[in-house]
Amino acid sequence: VASFFFIGLMSMMIPLCHVFGGLIAVCLFMGLFDGCFICIMAPIAFELVGAQDVSQAIGFLLGLMSIPMTVGPPIAGLLRDHLGTYDVAFYLAGVPPIIGGAILCFIPWVHERQKLKER
């Protein structure tokens, strides 16, 4: 959850980098947190859906991730054409991971409530 949150935060910090070294540092941390997110994706899917459906869950997750990866750059280009800067595109790109990280914080709470209902 923390890595997902920091991916969004680092995306939003890219327009604030006015020195090349700052951009390198932001990209370094963004890559580190992205690697953590990719590594933990399979265990999270396993925990949520179980051993039987984990491959289908990972495939579905990667399929859903491909949509913003494909549509995002043209939308960022349109924003740049209309606004004259990519800053808004980077700020908007950081919002979904932050919201996703906040939603993921509630999964253990929901899981515990389901266990209590089963008892």
Side-chain angles (χ1 to χ4, degrees), residues 37-115:
F37 170 70
I38 295 299
C39 289
I40 202 72
M41 189 170 45
I44 289 173
F46 181 83
E47 185 176 328
L48 290 176
V49 299
Q52 291 290 95
D53 298 325
V54 71
S55 60
Q56 185 176 359
I58 292 172
F60 186 69
L61 182 62
L62 291 174
L64 283 176
M65 286 172 57
S66 71
I67 295 169
M69 297 283 191
T70 304
V71 177
I75 292 173
L78 286 172
L79 286 171
R80 198 255 179 227
D81 289 344
H82 289 293
L83 302 174
T85 181
Y86 283 107
D87 292 355
V88 174
F90 283 109
Y91 295 137
L92 291 176
V95 171
I98 290 174
I99 292 172
I103 291 171
L104 284 173
C105 287
F106 291 108
I107 288 177
W109 178 70
V110 171
H111 193 54
E112 286 298 318
R113 287 192 62 166
Q114 286 178 345
K115 282 184 181 180

